[in-house]
Amino acid sequence: MTTHFKPFNTLFLESQSILEPKGKVITRRLSDMAELYQDQKSAQSLMDENPLVYEVFNVEVPESIEHIQHCITVLYPGKVGEEFFMTKGHYHEILNRAEIYFCFKGEGKLVMQTQDGDYEELDMKPGTISYVPPNWAHRTVNTGEEPFVFFAAYPGDAGHNYGDIEKIGFRKVIVNESGEVKTVDNPRYQLS
Ligand code: S6P
Ligand code: ZN
């Protein structure tokens, strides 16, 4: 008889924005990603405090194509200089693996980019379901004053490629300009 992977539930504890069981937790502080922000002087001045930027609660399933990885990200509010807190951003290691996001709480943007430099961004608020098609790098940005909390699901074998975004960056950055959320050109963006 074949041994089947057993079905199971995970509970999203909405009031605390955590999963039960917590699964594999990834914690990103400013020191894990300071070089990604535009204003390096402000990044350095926050380094003593080293704020928590985001946490990812990953349900543990095998990393193979038959399975669907799923997780909750809690992206905290804050800014480095005028640039809003954001995730590192990545392509999937297997580039053509898509992803679905569903926003539970807060507000933010999902910024996306292809390897030949196409750029798109979508607004997310509670109830928004966003589709990241195959081949698009993706990053989320918290443009609000509350934690921005979303669920993600993607093919089990997708993997994560952070290096390309670390090197090249996204074409645009999301900043606070006199109290308004603005998308501006990234002067450090370099399409090789
Ligand atoms: C995974 C999915 C999300 C992110 C998470 C953190 O494919 O896109 O769960 O991993 O939002 O972002 P990042 O860029 O640090 O992985
Ligand atoms: Zn992804």
Side-chain angles (χ1 to χ4, degrees), residues 90 92 99 138:
H90 59 269
H92 288 150
E99 183 151 359
H138 39 289

Side-chain angles (χ1 to χ4, degrees), residues 54 56 71 73 87-90 92 99 101 138 150 152 154 160 162:
Y54 60 101
V56 187
C71 58
T73 302
T87 56
K88 289 175 85 165
H90 59 269
H92 288 150
E99 183 151 359
Y101 280 8
H138 39 289
F150 57 90
Y154 55 103
H160 295 89
Y162 292 101

Side-chain angles (χ1 to χ4, degrees), residues 2 16 33 40 63 67 72 105 129 138 140 149-150 165 183:
T2 319
Q16 300 162 60
M33 54 182 306
Q40 283 300 299
E63 294 182 1
H67 287 273
I72 289 280
K105 286 187 190 179
I129 300 170
H138 39 289
T140 43
V149 182
F150 57 90
I165 289 300
T183 301

Side-chain angles (χ1 to χ4, degrees), residues 96-161:
N96 68 4
R97 296 302 192 244
E99 183 151 359
I100 290 167
Y101 280 8
F102 174 77
C103 177
F104 280 107
K105 286 187 190 179
E107 59 188 285
K109 284 190 184 284
L110 171 58
V111 302
M112 289 164 285
Q113 180 169 295
T114 63
Q115 287 182 323
D116 41 16
D118 277 357
Y119 175 89
E120 293 284 332
E121 69 183 50
L122 296 172
D123 290 322
M124 292 178 73
K125 62 181 185 191
T128 305
I129 300 170
S130 301
Y131 184 53
V132 181
N135 308 317
W136 289 81
H138 39 289
R139 163 181 285 164
T140 43
V141 182
N142 186 341
T143 55
E145 285 170 8
E146 304 296 326
F148 174 31
V149 182
F150 57 90
F151 174 83
Y154 55 103
D157 65 343
H160 295 89
N161 163 5

